[in-house]
Amino acid sequence: MAPEPDEIVPIPVKIIVAGGFGVGKTTFVGTVSEILPLTTEAPLTEMSRGVDDAGRRTGKTATTVAMDFGRITLGSDLVLYLFGTPGQARFQFMWDDLVRGAIGAVVLIDTERLADSFDAVDYFERLGMPFVVAVNTFDGIRRHRLADVREALALADTIPLGYCDARDRVSTRDTLIGLVQHALLQATA
Amino acid sequence: MTGIGNDPTGREPRDADELGGRVRPYTITGGRTRAAGIDLPVEALLQRTERGAQALPAARMERRRILELTVEPLSVAEVSARVGVHLGVARVLLGDLAAEELVVVHRPPSTEGTNQLDLALLERVLDGLRAL
Ligand SMILES: Nc1nc2c(ncn2[C@@H]2O[C@H](COP(=O)(O)OP(=O)(O)OP(=O)(O)O)[C@@H](O)[C@H]2O)c(=O)[nH]1
Ligand SMILES: [Mg+2]
């Protein structure tokens, strides 16, 4: 029925999980989420002019981008949403909408394909949005020294950089904790 | 996936091509791609009101499904995924329902003004994550 007057509606907050194709975004979201990650789609034209004419004529469905998300209840009055989004600049129209009001972002990287993460790093840097960079350790193998990764990404010393196993609950939780700590630091700086 | 939907213009779909929400996602919303005058971030929570509950039996398609689902507070993103419509379509439909006071919107605290979240709120998020 209708909401009870004294019923607590939780405050929704969100964190963005960005990164290149196949870097482990969906895995990360699924590992910490209390629900199976859901997928929603946004048409690529959404933020510009609505349904595009080419799409109408051809009936093509390829002009959409998928975004998956999960949910973590942090008490009766607080709920955290995680949004996994592709990390290429051409999806930026979507990030502008998505990141509004976010606590911050986790940029997931695969050291084999570092360049895939440049756009996301650039984006959050320019926006001044708190972010951390997490190296997904596929199969637990740490192939590169973090100092080398930092240099390759031209990442400022102030940006937290660490390893993360996207399949591991504690590891993903700790990555989120690191981000929120960083956001607190940045907010009080 | 999606059906004919509630076309606010009252127009009937003209051909089979129009029935597919995927093909022409905004057909359901009468071509509108923006929610009228309402800010709906993806994480905003929506819950149906008393009026929403009363309107349910007469509601059709997506509107009906949304009114069913929002018996509990549900985010815009969840509505989009569970009703099977694009995020933008979900926003327009939810914007209409909110304007008609069939659902209430519980907005996150920081979407107006700065990007800066309240420190106390961040602390609570931190505590909540640590307790997981
Ligand atoms: N061994 C190992 N495999 C992983 C890890 N993280 C992800 N994978 C695998 O890598 C593949 C891609 O992971 P996803 O989570 O789908 O990556 P994604 O970033 O969501 O991919 P897209 O949405 O396609 O861009 C999947 O087959 C995962 O099972 C990891 O930490 N270790
Ligand atoms: Mg994915």
Side-chain angles (χ1 to χ4, degrees), chain A residues 69-149:
Chain A
F69 61 96
R71 188 178 68 202
I72 308 171
T73 301
L74 298 178
S76 61
D77 55 351
L78 196 57
V79 59
L80 171 64
Y81 286 94
L82 294 178
F83 289 95
T85 181
Q88 290 75 25
R90 67 176 185 280
F91 299 121
Q92 195 163 317
F93 75 94
M94 184 159 144
W95 305 347
D96 291 340
D97 172 57
L98 198 58
V99 305
R100 222 161 27 105
I103 291 174
V106 173
V107 177
L108 270 186
I109 64 170
D110 175 353
T111 50
E112 301 302 301
R113 290 172 297 153
L114 263 192
D116 284 4
S117 55
F118 290 169
D119 288 344
V121 169
D122 274 353
Y123 180 80
F124 294 114
E125 234 167 35
R126 254 185 293 122
L127 202 66
M129 170 154 285
F131 72 100
V132 298
V133 178
V135 180
N136 195 6
T137 51
F138 288 88
D139 301 316
I141 300 167
R142 301 181 170 186
R143 291 194 175 79
H144 298 84
R145 291 172 46 226
L146 288 180
D148 296 338
V149 175

Side-chain angles (χ1 to χ4, degrees), chain A residues 22 24-27 68:
Chain A
K25 301 178 297 291
T26 303
T27 305
D68 40 40

Side-chain angles (χ1 to χ4, degrees), chain A residues 1-3 7 9-12 14 39-41 46 50-51 64 69 71 77 81 97 100-101 103 173 181 187, chain B residues 22 26 33 39 43 45 47-48 50 77-78 80-81 86-88 91 106 108-109 115 117 124 129-130 132:
Chain A
M1 288 313 290
E7 187 181 332
V9 175
I11 297 174
K14 69 183 162 188
T39 301
T40 185
E41 289 188 345
E46 176 169 303
V51 181
T64 64
F69 61 96
R71 188 178 68 202
D77 55 351
Y81 286 94
D97 172 57
R100 222 161 27 105
I103 291 174
R173 186 203 63 178
Q181 283 173 328
Chain B
R22 292 251 170 201
Y26 290 102
T33 61
D39 181 34
E43 74 278 22
L45 295 173
Q47 190 171 19
R48 78 175 187 220
E50 184 78 49
E78 281 165 300
S80 161
H86 287 151
L87 206 49
R91 278 205 174 108
H106 304 285
N115 249 339
L117 280 179
R124 283 172 56 202
L129 285 171
R130 282 179 173 142
L132 283 183

Side-chain angles (χ1 to χ4, degrees), chain B residues 5-6 9 15 22 25-26 30 35 44 54 59-60 63 65 67 75 81 98-99 106 111 113 120-122:
Chain B
N6 263 272
T9 63
D15 52 48
R22 292 251 170 201
Y26 290 102
Q54 286 161 5
R60 293 174 56 235
R63 274 169 75 91
R65 188 80 187 110
L67 289 174
S75 66
H106 304 285
T111 47
L121 185 59
L122 285 177

Side-chain angles (χ1 to χ4, degrees), chain B residues 19-103:
Chain B
L19 299 177
R22 292 251 170 201
V23 179
R24 294 181 176 178
Y26 290 102
T27 301
I28 313 168
T29 67
R32 288 170 305 133
T33 61
R34 297 228 165 246
I38 183 160
D39 181 34
L40 284 178
V42 285
E43 74 278 22
L45 295 173
L46 296 113
Q47 190 171 19
R48 78 175 187 220
T49 59
E50 184 78 49
R51 280 181 65 173
Q54 286 161 5
L56 201 156
R60 293 174 56 235
M61 311 301 288
E62 287 81 7
R63 274 169 75 91
R64 185 188 183 97
R65 188 80 187 110
I66 292 171
L67 289 174
E68 284 168 357
L69 288 171
T70 53
V71 59
E72 306 270 11
L74 208 62
S75 66
V76 174
E78 281 165 300
V79 168
S80 161
R82 292 178 62 181
V83 176
V85 293
H86 287 151
L87 206 49
V89 173
R91 278 205 174 108
V92 174
L93 294 173
L94 287 166
D96 287 348
L97 289 168
E100 294 164 54
E101 294 176 13
L102 301 183
V103 299

